[in-house]
Amino acid sequence: MVRKRFRAVLITVLLAIALTAAAGCGKKEAQPGSETHPAKEAAKLAGNIIAVGSTAMQPFMEEAAKRFMEQYPGVQISVQGGGSGTGLSQVSQGACDIGMSDIFAEEKEGIDATKLKDHPVIVQAFAVVTHPDVGVESLTKKQLQDIFTRKITNWKEVGGKNQKIFLVNRAKGSGTRATFKKYVLEGIEEAKGDVEQDSSGAVHKIVSETPGAISYLGIAYLDDKVKPVKIGGAAPTEEDISTGKYPFWAFGHLYTKGEPSKVVKAFIDFVLSNEVQNGLVREMHYFPVKGMKVERRP
């Protein structure tokens, strides 16, 4: 009887050991050492990325870089402004890995676009903005053209308060300025502004603090400190842009000098992933590049 009990206990113990070993073997495939484990893939991806250019794209790129680096600790990404022209120039010279631009490389004088590879990653809307007390809700293209060429110098001429217009221009290398000039001013050269700024953050600050001020910004910078103005009754919304009603928008491009390196390609693929396009892009007031129905070419 004792022997039978001992035998039963022994069999139970041996079965438990066998099951534990089998489970251990199964777990090995899911450990970081496995060829298919995401942690190993993350560990293998390493390097440094420098992205330079559009300040309109900068807030989005900084957050995208932060999230990417959280997933891939071996990668360091530095995102710097300076304007689209600077981004295109630096990536062409090999001084950075990614040139962020609101405009096509073909539109920038002195850039050999044939040596650059274009990666459109977002659609960005821009808004004409004024100081909140100006009292204007909408302006036509013609009115904006007259304001930015100094034919109109007082807000009362377009239905606003009796106040002198304070013109804030963007710098010559700004992609936002190039987009404004092409699609809103329709090629007309702006008059000299009361002040000129390239940084979107600086433009926001000046317009918000200067009575009578007007300029333009990426909508990611909008808040209650500045007043967005419709263009011909259309607003910088996804619907008005995709139906062709609103003219002031551009693709956000990431340019590389030729084919990107493995780590740069991984980052661009991340930016174009459904996770980012349907998440972060919309969270930061941009629009997914894949959903744009209206085409634009250089």
Side-chain angles (χ1 to χ4, degrees):
M1 188 71 175
V2 173
R3 287 181 179 176
K4 286 182 178 179
R5 286 180 181 175
F6 176 76
R7 189 177 300 159
V9 171
L10 181 61
I11 290 171
T12 301
V13 171
L14 290 173
L15 282 171
I17 292 171
L19 288 171
T20 301
C25 289
K27 286 179 180 178
K28 278 183 183 177
E29 294 181 3
Q31 293 302 313
S34 165
E35 289 298 319
T36 58
H37 196 282
K40 181 171 183 180
E41 293 304 312
K44 286 196 295 186
L45 192 64
N48 298 316
I49 300 173
I50 299 175
V52 178
S54 166
T55 60
M57 295 180 70
Q58 193 172 353
F60 165 74
M61 286 290 288
E62 287 174 344
E63 184 59 29
K66 177 184 172 184
R67 296 190 185 189
F68 187 79
M69 289 187 288
E70 287 172 354
Q71 292 188 28
Y72 299 95
V75 179
Q76 290 296 313
I77 305 175
S78 171
V79 179
Q80 305 165 19
S84 296
T86 298
L88 289 169
S89 296
Q90 290 205 15
V91 75
S92 295
Q93 296 163 12
C96 66
D97 304 289
I98 294 173
M100 306 181 296
S101 178
D102 306 336
I103 59 173
F104 290 94
E106 290 86 345
E107 296 177 300
K108 175 64 178 173
E109 189 176 345
I111 299 294
D112 185 354
T114 63
K115 294 182 179 179
L116 300 180
K117 185 170 179 61
D118 184 11
H119 310 270
V121 293
I122 55 173
V123 171
Q124 47 191 356
F126 304 100
V128 172
V129 292
T130 67
H131 185 276
D133 295 336
V134 159
V136 171
E137 298 289 330
S138 181
L139 294 166
T140 66
K141 278 188 181 181
K142 181 65 167 62
Q143 287 173 326
L144 284 167
Q145 290 164 9
D146 288 346
I147 287 171
F148 279 85
T149 55
R150 299 282 196 187
K151 292 178 182 176
I152 292 175
T153 58
N154 192 298
W155 285 111
K156 69 179 181 181
E157 298 177 65
V158 288
K161 67 190 301 186
N162 184 10
Q163 186 173 55
K164 182 182 176 182
I165 295 174
F166 185 90
L167 203 59
V168 182
N169 277 347
R170 304 299 293 261
K172 292 282 188 181
S174 165
T176 308
R177 176 172 176 165
T179 302
F180 182 70
K181 182 177 179 179
K182 184 173 183 177
Y183 295 105
V184 180
L185 300 187
E186 298 178 327
I188 296 171
E189 190 68 32
E190 309 99 307
K192 185 177 180 181
D194 293 290
V195 67
E196 184 176 281
Q197 274 289 344
D198 185 44
S199 164
S200 295
V203 169
H204 176 278
K205 180 176 173 60
I206 292 169
V207 173
S208 68
E209 296 176 353
T210 309
I214 183 172
S215 192
Y216 41 89
L217 292 165
I219 64 170
Y221 287 87
L222 296 184
D223 57 21
D224 59 4
K225 295 180 180 178
V226 294
K227 172 72 176 176
V229 177
K230 293 180 180 179
I231 300 177
T237 63
E238 188 170 8
E239 180 181 357
D240 281 359
I241 289 171
S242 63
T243 55
K245 294 178 182 176
Y246 188 79
F248 195 13
W249 64 273
F251 288 111
H253 308 262
L254 300 183
Y255 277 98
T256 57
K257 191 171 184 179
E259 293 296 330
S261 66
K262 179 182 176 181
V263 66
V264 172
K265 183 180 185 304
F267 176 59
I268 293 173
D269 288 345
F270 171 76
V271 173
L272 287 169
S273 68
N274 289 333
E275 171 194 354
V276 173
Q277 289 288 307
N278 296 322
L280 179 62
V281 169
R282 293 188 183 279
E283 288 170 25
M284 299 199 69
H285 308 292
Y286 301 88
F287 305 123
V289 71
K290 296 176 182 177
M292 182 49 56
K293 300 172 186 176
V294 182
E295 285 192 15
R296 279 197 170 163
R297 300 184 183 279

